[in-house]
Amino acid sequence: MNTKTVARLRDVSKHYLLGSVQVTALSALNLEVKAGAFTFVTGPSGSGKTTALNLLGAIDKPSQGSVDMLGQRFDELSDTQLTDFRCRHIAYIFQNFNLIPVLNVYENVEYPLHLMGLPKAARQERVTDVLDAVGLYDRAQHKPNELSGGQRQRVAIARALVKQPTVVLADEPTANLDSQTSRDVTALMQQMQRKFNTTFVFSSHDPDLIAMADEVYHLVDGQLTDIKRQEVPQ
Ligand SMILES: Nc1ncnc2c1ncn2[C@@H]1O[C@H](COP(=O)(O)OP(=O)(O)OP(=O)(O)O)[C@@H](O)[C@H]1O
Ligand SMILES: [Mg+2]
């Protein structure tokens, strides 16, 4: 495994105001995402996992501290530059799949490539390749509601990987799947990591998924309580 750092949270805190009450979702968190690794954020409900992923994914901004990816600090970019950076470098996989219901499987996977402005031939090559890789090429014309939960999550994985992103952020990607399907989807993400050398950051409680982790950041009440690192042969 390459040990280059591709993204990082530096001393990041995030506070929300609920009426007049300040809620601290994250407190002075330092986190490094290594290239090609499976990095996990774990912890009980409300511990700040989704908040940490949203900050890394430039969906949300920290109250204190800074976030950077590929050496670029997000707070040095304008909103337009940040949108463009997100579009090129970051992909998301959600617990509830978030596919576009009126588009078929092929069109759902192709959609991010439209946003990136790729020409038709390049789009077709990439979509075909990635649908093949997740074993769903024969479902290309199906709408999301004609698929099982596991198939929908495989489409979401294909849609994330088709961008060839720097980082895939996956927030509890197996939480809505039964245990067998969850293991299949987990195995698929591992294959995809090997095939495309993709960097993944997960939030999860799923022991099968966490078993593949290179690094695990454990949060309690927005504070880092433990980091576990898997020794990887060089
Ligand atoms: N938009 C918001 N406004 C106010 N408080 C928020 C907001 N988003 C999150 N919080 C609070 O921040 C804390 C962390 O929330 P977060 O969603 O990151 O937790 P989580 O670890 O992902 O939990 P879960 O396992 O339930 O998904 C919680 O106390 C939550 O109530
Ligand atoms: Mg969450």
Side-chain angles (χ1 to χ4, degrees):
M1 187 184 73
N2 190 336
T3 51
K4 197 174 128 224
T5 299
V6 289
R8 115 176 74 206
L9 301 178
R10 282 192 218 239
D11 267 327
V12 160
S13 298
K14 178 71 185 177
H15 314 294
Y16 293 106
L17 263 189
L18 274 182
S20 58
V21 180
Q22 180 173 288
V23 178
T24 297
L26 280 180
S27 197
L29 176 62
N30 286 291
L31 181 149
E32 287 195 9
V33 178
K34 301 276 172 42
F38 273 1
T39 303
F40 276 71
V41 183
T42 64
S45 180
S47 59
K49 304 181 296 296
T50 297
T51 305
L53 261 61
N54 288 347
L55 293 172
L56 269 174
I59 293 177
D60 207 352
K61 293 183 175 169
S63 311
Q64 279 116 33
S66 66
V67 187
D68 61 85
M69 188 174 289
L70 297 173
Q72 174 62 60
R73 274 179 67 145
F74 290 169
D75 58 0
E76 289 171 344
L77 298 174
S78 69
D79 284 349
T80 318
Q81 288 171 326
L82 193 59
T83 304
D84 185 56
F85 189 95
R86 211 169 32 217
C87 175
R88 278 173 201 288
H89 294 295
I90 306 171
Y92 309 88
I93 298 173
F94 301 95
Q95 177 176 348
N96 56 2
F97 322 130
N98 280 20
L99 300 175
I100 303 172
V102 294
L103 301 184
N104 68 29
V105 166
Y106 186 96
E107 293 160 343
N108 263 284
V109 175
E110 187 185 31
Y111 186 68
L113 302 183
H114 277 293
L115 298 182
M116 288 168 74
L118 251 71
K120 186 165 188 218
R123 293 199 306 267
Q124 191 168 13
E125 191 182 329
R126 282 212 208 174
V127 174
T128 308
D129 195 34
V130 83
L131 278 182
D132 217 21
V134 301
L136 279 178
Y137 192 72
D138 61 338
R139 294 287 193 280
Q141 303 306 319
H142 286 232
K143 295 275 171 60
N145 68 0
E146 297 162 350
L147 300 173
S148 70
Q151 288 170 334
R152 286 180 210 188
Q153 199 56 309
R154 279 151 64 195
V155 177
I157 293 168
R159 180 183 57 181
L161 295 174
V162 79
K163 287 170 66 167
Q164 300 176 358
T166 305
V167 174
V168 174
L169 298 165
D171 195 2
E172 313 216 24
T174 59
N176 282 342
L177 304 175
D178 65 67
S179 56
Q180 183 54 50
T181 310
S182 159
R183 277 195 288 276
D184 294 346
V185 165
T186 300
L188 175 66
M189 286 189 284
Q190 204 160 26
Q191 284 163 25
M192 297 296 101
Q193 180 206 33
R194 292 193 187 121
K195 184 171 160 74
F196 299 107
N197 194 31
T198 312
T199 304
F200 283 87
V201 184
F202 294 93
S203 108
S204 186
H205 303 281
D206 179 348
D208 285 331
L209 199 56
I210 297 172
M212 319 183 295
D214 296 300
E215 295 195 308
V216 182
Y217 288 76
H218 189 75
L219 299 179
V220 176
D221 290 338
Q223 310 234 16
L224 183 66
T225 57
D226 190 26
I227 307 179
K228 284 202 173 63
R229 295 202 163 89
Q230 201 88 262
E231 289 306 318
V232 182
Q234 294 292 315

Coordinates of all heavy atoms in Angstrom, one line a residue, residues 9 39 56 75 81 110 112 158 196 233:
L9 N -7.9 16.1 7.9 CA -8.6 17.1 8.7 C -7.5 17.5 9.7 O -6.8 16.7 10.3 CB -9.7 16.4 9.5 CG -10.9 15.8 8.7 CD1 -11.9 15.2 9.7 CD2 -11.6 16.8 7.8
T39 N -9.9 3.7 5.1 CA -9.9 4.4 6.4 C -11.3 4.4 7.0 O -12.3 4.7 6.2 CB -9.5 5.9 6.2 OG1 -8.2 5.9 5.6 CG2 -9.4 6.7 7.5
L56 N -14.7 16.2 5.1 CA -13.7 15.7 4.2 C -14.2 15.8 2.7 O -13.5 16.0 1.8 CB -13.5 14.2 4.4 CG -12.4 13.8 5.4 CD1 -12.4 12.3 5.6 CD2 -11.0 14.3 4.8
D75 N -10.6 25.8 2.3 CA -11.0 27.2 2.6 C -10.2 28.3 1.8 O -10.5 29.4 1.9 CB -10.8 27.5 4.1 CG -9.3 27.3 4.6 OD1 -8.5 26.9 3.8 OD2 -9.1 27.5 5.8
Q81 N -14.9 27.2 -7.3 CA -13.7 26.3 -7.4 C -13.9 25.0 -6.5 O -13.5 24.0 -6.9 CB -12.5 27.1 -6.9 CG -12.0 28.1 -7.8 CD -10.9 29.0 -7.2 OE1 -10.9 29.2 -6.0 NE2 -10.0 29.4 -8.0
E110 N -23.8 7.3 -15.6 CA -23.3 8.2 -16.6 C -23.3 9.7 -16.1 O -22.5 10.5 -16.4 CB -24.0 8.1 -17.9 CG -23.4 8.9 -19.0 CD -24.3 8.9 -20.3 OE1 -25.6 8.7 -20.2 OE2 -23.8 9.0 -21.4
P112 N -22.6 11.6 -13.4 CA -21.4 12.4 -12.9 C -20.5 12.7 -14.1 O -19.8 13.8 -14.0 CB -20.7 11.5 -11.9 CG -21.6 10.3 -11.7 CD -22.7 10.3 -12.7
A158 N -20.7 1.9 -8.5 CA -20.3 2.1 -9.9 C -20.4 3.6 -10.2 O -19.4 4.2 -10.8 CB -21.2 1.4 -10.9
F196 N -9.0 -0.5 -9.1 CA -8.9 0.9 -9.5 C -7.9 1.7 -8.5 O -7.7 2.9 -8.7 CB -10.2 1.6 -9.5 CG -11.2 1.1 -10.5 CD1 -12.3 0.3 -10.2 CD2 -11.0 1.3 -11.9 CE1 -13.2 -0.2 -11.1 CE2 -11.9 0.8 -12.9 CZ -12.9 0.0 -12.5
P233 N 2.1 -5.3 4.9 CA 3.4 -5.5 4.4 C 3.7 -4.6 3.2 O 2.8 -4.4 2.4 CB 3.3 -7.0 3.9 CG 1.9 -7.4 4.1 CD 1.1 -6.3 4.8

